[in-house]
């Protein structure tokens, strides 16, 4: 595994397996590995979770983590996935958080990702007592201090944990709240507003969701409600208006990162009968009320929001930046050292480009185009210089008094 967080995740895998075996009362087995029978058993649970959370969605919002078999499947498969997703997105924060609250934590993959990313005080909050118990056992295995708190947002008069935090995280939880239709959007946005009130100045709320079309579009709709109410988005958006990915019903926006899977995850994926060669998720990093959007870097800046759309004799992507969502294309014959990078971009990269010509639904990069990498996927975008305050309008000269009107002759 080549990612910066890979060694951290590798250290967690033996702990996950040990805690899972202990929870079943079966502590025997090879350290850091599952036996073939264990792979078969857990793989069946992974398949059921995948079906219920990403296909027929029957488990969305259900108390599946109170089921020992499904909680075990989550711990050994989805925990490493969520941990890796969180470490990717945490790399885009403008500041390293110290005090973190993880809402809807389950057994704590995002909480421990924040801890490994430098947080010193982390609280995991969830409605599932068995999930929180596993999180505490993992903390003991790792020799870390983790606070836990029961929290059920659907319970009447539910309250958030006390205190203010540098970062509040909500990993794959918002999509499961308040139902599946558009009626759920306003209560979701209201919940996020309440959560944002717990975020310190300069801090962030991180929301991660599955990369499905439905869940991704719903997150973007909630984003638009927050933007309407005056909230700024730290990442991934640089466009400040209504999300342009919502214009067409067939469009949505999600992140995808290359990820060499740990052996345990790969074995379970194969047993469950699906491929998971990359990390896919939708996410938002939201600033607390009253903080301005970060200024984009200077130039014509775009985040790549599609896979390579390579065609005959050209390279093409969809980009989204301060001027909106557009196609970006370059003919192979215009390829040169100063724009070679364009032919190797990844979804999530942020680039600055020159020599753009309007063409079709976007821009063509001309023969003199230059392409500069502003930030690779998973890295924070360096903000541009703050806008200079507008000079006050010059005071108007006082109007000369009107000349007296002579009296009318009789």
């Amino acid at each position: 595994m080549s990612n910066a967080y890979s060694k951290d995740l590798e250290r967690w895998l033996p702990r996950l397996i040990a805690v899972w075996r202990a929870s079943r009362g079966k502590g025997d087995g090879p350290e850091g590995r599952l036996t073939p029978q264990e792979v078969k058993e857990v793989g069946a649970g992974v398949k059921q979770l995948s079906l219920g959370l990403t296909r027929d969605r029957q488990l969305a919002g259900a108390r599946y983590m109170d089921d020992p078999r499904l909680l075990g499947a989550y711990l050994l498969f989805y925990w490493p996935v969520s941990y890796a997703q969180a470490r990717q997105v945490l790399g885009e924060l403008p500041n390293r958080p110290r005090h973190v609250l993880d809402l809807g934590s389950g057994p704590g993959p995002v909480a421990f990702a924040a801890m490994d990313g430098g947080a010193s005080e982390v609280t995991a909050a969830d409605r599932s007592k068995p999930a929180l118990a596993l999180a505490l056992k993992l903390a003991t295995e790792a020799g870390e201090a983790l606070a836990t708190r029961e929290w059920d947002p659907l319970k009447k008069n539910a309250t958030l944990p006390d205190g203010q935090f540098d970062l509040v995280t909500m990993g794959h939880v918002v999509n499961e709240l308040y139902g599946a239709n558009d009626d759920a959007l306003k209560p979701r946005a209201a919940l996020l507003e309440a959560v944002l009130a717990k975020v310190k100045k300069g801090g962030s709320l991180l929301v991660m969701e599955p990369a499905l079309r439905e869940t991704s579009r719903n997150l973007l709709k909630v984003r638009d409600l927050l933007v309407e109410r005056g909230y700024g988005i730290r990442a991934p958006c640089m466009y400040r208006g209504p999300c342009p990915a919502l214009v067409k019903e067939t469009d949505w926006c999600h992140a995808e990162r290359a990820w060499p899977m740990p052996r345990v995850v790969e074995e379970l994926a194969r047993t469950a009968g699906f491929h998971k060669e990359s990390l896919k998720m939708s996410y938002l990093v939201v600033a607390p009320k009253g903080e301005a959007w970060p200024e984009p870097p200077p130039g014509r800046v775009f985040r790549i929001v599609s896979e390579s759309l390579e065609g005959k004799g050209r390279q093409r992507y969809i980009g989204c930046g301060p001027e909106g969502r557009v196609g970006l294309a370059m003919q192979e014959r215009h390829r040169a050292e100063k724009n070679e990078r364009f032919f190797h971009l990844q979804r999530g990269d942020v680039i600055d480009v020159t020599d753009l010509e309007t063409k079709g639904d976007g821009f063509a990069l001309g023969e003199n185009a230059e392409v500069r990498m502003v930030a690779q996927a998973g890295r924070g975008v360096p903000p541009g210089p703050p806008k200079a305050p507008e000079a006050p309008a010059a005071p108007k000269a006082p109007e000369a008094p009107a000349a007296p009107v002579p009296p009318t002759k009789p």
Side-chain angles (χ1 to χ4, degrees):
M1 300 171 69
S2 57
N3 304 89
Y5 56 81
S6 298
K7 289 183 179 178
D8 291 337
L9 180 53
E10 289 288 1
R11 284 192 288 269
W12 279 107
L13 294 172
R15 299 167 187 159
L16 296 173
I17 293 172
V19 165
W20 172 70
R21 284 179 176 146
S23 71
R24 301 163 71 236
K26 300 178 181 179
D28 296 332
E31 184 179 357
R33 293 178 55 189
L34 296 177
T35 66
Q37 181 57 37
E38 288 173 333
V39 169
K40 184 178 179 181
E41 176 189 337
V42 178
V46 170
K47 188 172 183 177
Q48 185 178 346
L49 278 176
S50 177
L51 178 66
L53 294 175
T54 66
R55 298 180 195 178
D56 64 25
R57 302 280 292 160
Q58 289 186 5
L59 288 178
R63 302 185 72 104
Y64 54 88
M65 286 198 183
D66 289 347
D67 180 329
R69 191 173 66 89
L70 295 182
L71 179 57
Y74 180 93
L75 187 71
L76 297 179
F77 184 80
Y78 285 103
W79 196 105
V81 172
S82 294
Y83 176 96
Q85 290 171 336
R87 289 298 297 270
Q88 278 279 344
V89 180
L90 290 170
E92 298 192 40
L93 295 179
N95 305 301
R96 176 178 290 184
R98 295 297 180 188
H99 301 150
V100 177
L101 171 63
D102 182 22
L103 293 172
S105 64
V110 180
F112 289 114
M115 199 176 285
D116 287 346
S120 54
E121 294 183 24
V122 181
T123 300
D126 199 275
R127 66 181 178 178
S128 171
K129 292 181 181 180
L132 291 176
L134 282 188
L136 285 174
K137 289 175 182 175
L138 285 170
T140 300
E141 282 280 326
E144 300 282 3
L146 176 73
T148 60
R149 160 81 187 271
E150 285 188 45
W151 175 73
D152 183 352
L154 299 180
K155 187 177 289 186
K156 191 175 181 180
N157 299 324
T159 58
L160 291 162
D162 293 335
Q164 294 284 299
F165 302 88
D166 301 307
L167 174 67
V168 180
T169 60
M170 301 181 78
H172 303 291
V173 60
V174 176
N175 76 94
E176 299 186 17
L177 299 177
Y178 310 116
N181 55 32
D182 282 356
D183 292 340
L185 300 176
K186 287 185 178 179
R188 287 175 185 170
L191 173 62
L192 296 190
E193 279 203 275
V195 171
L196 280 158
K198 308 293 291 183
V199 177
K200 295 178 183 177
K201 184 178 180 180
S204 302
L205 165 65
L206 164 61
V207 182
M208 288 195 318
E209 295 283 66
L212 306 170
R213 175 182 171 278
E214 175 193 343
T215 53
S216 297
R217 286 181 65 84
N218 283 342
L219 179 60
L220 297 178
K221 291 174 184 178
V222 171
R223 168 217 182 265
D224 284 359
L225 289 174
L226 292 175
V227 170
E228 280 179 15
R229 297 171 191 181
Y231 291 89
I233 307 299
R234 298 199 189 282
C237 312
M238 291 183 284
Y239 184 66
R240 302 186 182 192
C243 178
L246 292 175
V247 174
K248 295 180 182 178
E249 284 292 327
T250 52
D251 286 344
W252 73 96
C253 189
H254 69 274
E256 184 171 2
R257 307 282 188 264
W259 188 48
M261 287 187 294
R263 177 176 176 174
V264 170
V265 176
E266 186 175 9
E267 287 178 337
L268 292 172
R270 188 167 56 247
T271 301
F274 50 83
H275 301 286
K276 202 166 187 70
E277 298 173 355
S278 61
L279 292 170
K280 295 181 181 181
M281 66 281 189
S282 297
Y283 70 97
L284 286 178
V285 180
V286 189
K289 193 71 174 277
E291 293 201 24
W293 287 68
E295 286 299 323
R300 304 290 293 276
V301 181
F302 300 91
R303 184 184 293 276
I304 302 303
V305 294
S306 74
E307 70 278 11
S308 167
L309 304 171
E310 186 177 355
K312 188 175 181 180
R314 71 165 188 178
Q315 179 63 281
R316 185 172 183 270
Y317 307 93
I318 303 298
C320 192
E323 52 200 284
R325 180 183 173 97
V326 296
L328 300 171
M330 177 173 242
Q331 298 295 324
E332 184 72 33
R333 67 177 184 272
H334 293 154
R335 191 169 185 163
E337 184 178 351
K338 59 189 176 183
N339 56 47
E340 174 68 25
R341 192 182 295 274
F342 186 78
F343 293 85
H344 307 284
L345 295 173
Q346 303 295 317
R347 190 193 295 257
D349 289 342
V350 178
I351 56 172
D352 172 31
V353 292
T354 65
D355 193 30
L356 293 175
E357 303 169 9
T358 302
K359 193 167 184 179
D361 67 347
F363 299 112
L365 283 70
E367 60 184 344
N368 296 317
E370 296 185 28
V371 178
R372 179 178 67 89
M373 181 68 75
V374 175
Q376 290 183 308
R379 302 289 181 87
V381 178
K387 282 185 178 179
E390 293 184 8
K396 291 183 179 180
E399 295 183 6
V405 179
T408 304
K409 289 184 179 180

